[in-house]
Amino acid sequence: MSTDFTLMLPEAQLLFHVKREEDVQACKAAEVKRIHVKADHARCTAKDSLFHVKQAEVVPTNLLVAGGRAPSSQWLQELSCYEAVYCADKGASYALAGGLSPALVVGDCDSTSELVYEQAQSLGARLDVYPPAKDDTDLQLLLKQLPLGNLVATGIWGGRFDHLFSNVFSLLAFKEQRQCQVVLADHEEMMVLLSAPEGIEISFNELKKVQAISLLPLSAHSSVSIAGVRWPLNEAELTQHRAYAISNELIGNRISFSCHSGQIG
């Protein structure tokens, strides 16, 4: 059984096709059962197992604002897909600049001022303040407190590479633990995290704004497919030692990705 989930961003519409491992096993079991039961019953079982279905319950999407490159205030204001706003330290200043009211601010206040924390609190935010000398990053501490739901994370890009590396893999771990969808985005860049056996279709609003499409292996080995680009791939192997699937080009306003094994961004 698959779950379709649509996420609207200012620049694109994302349609996720999610098939969890237990669903794959159910499909295999249905195929085995097909041998031992009547054909009409087998067809019914296979249909239940293999076709996409819509979510019976709407899963909320939360917005996380971290302290990397600031998303433009206009982009934040156009973003309307989230249930609530959660900020990691300096991300609170970005949220306030965009006219957003955080529900929670977590951090050590080393990259923004106490005034920002006070302003967020005056708008109803709960503050969770830590000392600068700690093991986890502000983002990691915030992720532990997020409610259930899918996630759009902004304020991720820019600055130091070690921060970016930690952010991406912390969010990937969060995705795996919560079994949810995670998108990293701002007004300049977007990364969708996919784990096998997931797929996604992306429809862009303005083709001219898309400069490049890349597939980055986030696990040692991964198998991927991509269509709607100049150089399509069909179950191609990507490794972290040979991350060659970068700087592809769109041939229309819609592309599709599938992650057959491993994890990609």
Side-chain angles (χ1 to χ4, degrees), residues 156-167:
I156 299 297
W157 314 113
R160 289 165 40 183
F161 177 75
D162 57 343
H163 286 171
L164 176 59
F165 185 93
S166 176
N167 288 345

Side-chain angles (χ1 to χ4, degrees), residues 55 70 80 94 117 134 144 146 182 188 193 201 228 231 245:
Q55 288 175 307
S80 59
Y94 302 157
Y117 276 56
K134 59 189 186 303
K144 293 178 181 179
L146 291 187
V182 176
E188 294 187 28
L193 302 181
E201 299 174 33
W231 298 285

Side-chain angles (χ1 to χ4, degrees), residues 1-4 18-19 23-31 34 42-53:
M1 181 172 63
S2 298
T3 301
D4 288 356
V18 183
K19 186 181 289 184
D23 301 325
V24 175
Q25 296 303 321
C27 292
K28 292 179 179 178
E31 289 300 315
R34 186 194 301 270
R43 281 194 295 270
C44 179
T45 303
K47 181 178 179 181
D48 290 341
S49 298
L50 296 174
F51 280 24
H52 292 320
V53 297

Side-chain angles (χ1 to χ4, degrees), residues 9-12 68-76 78 153-159 183-191 204 206-213:
L9 296 180
E11 63 274 18
R69 180 174 67 208
S72 74
S73 295
Q74 180 180 350
W75 186 86
L76 280 177
E78 292 176 355
T154 192
I156 299 297
W157 314 113
V183 178
L184 293 60
D186 66 6
H187 59 289
E188 294 187 28
E189 293 180 80
M190 174 174 62
M191 174 185 279
F204 293 98
E206 295 186 52
L207 187 60
K208 63 182 180 180
K209 290 187 176 182
V210 182
Q211 297 182 356
I213 301 292

Side-chain angles (χ1 to χ4, degrees), residues 59-158:
V59 177
T61 296
N62 298 306
L63 175 62
L64 183 154
V65 187
R69 180 174 67 208
S72 74
S73 295
Q74 180 180 350
W75 186 86
L76 280 177
Q77 292 163 5
E78 292 176 355
L79 190 66
S80 59
C81 62
Y82 58 87
E83 185 85 6
V85 182
Y86 302 89
C87 299
D89 207 45
K90 191 177 181 180
S93 64
Y94 302 157
L96 294 173
L100 308 183
S101 298
L104 171 66
V105 179
V106 175
D108 51 24
C109 203
D110 69 343
S111 57
T112 191
S113 67
E114 292 184 6
L115 178 61
V116 168
Y117 276 56
E118 292 170 359
Q119 289 175 337
Q121 188 175 41
S122 70
L123 294 174
R126 179 170 66 86
L127 305 183
D128 192 8
V129 183
Y130 290 81
K134 59 189 186 303
D135 293 332
D136 289 338
T137 67
D138 294 333
L139 176 70
Q140 291 165 348
L141 291 169
L142 176 58
L143 289 174
K144 293 178 181 179
Q145 300 192 46
L146 291 187
L148 294 178
N150 299 306
L151 185 65
V152 174
T154 192
I156 299 297
W157 314 113

Side-chain angles (χ1 to χ4, degrees), residues 211-225:
Q211 297 182 356
I213 301 292
S214 300
L215 288 174
L216 304 180
L218 301 179
S219 55
H221 299 271
S222 58
S223 175
V224 301
S225 295

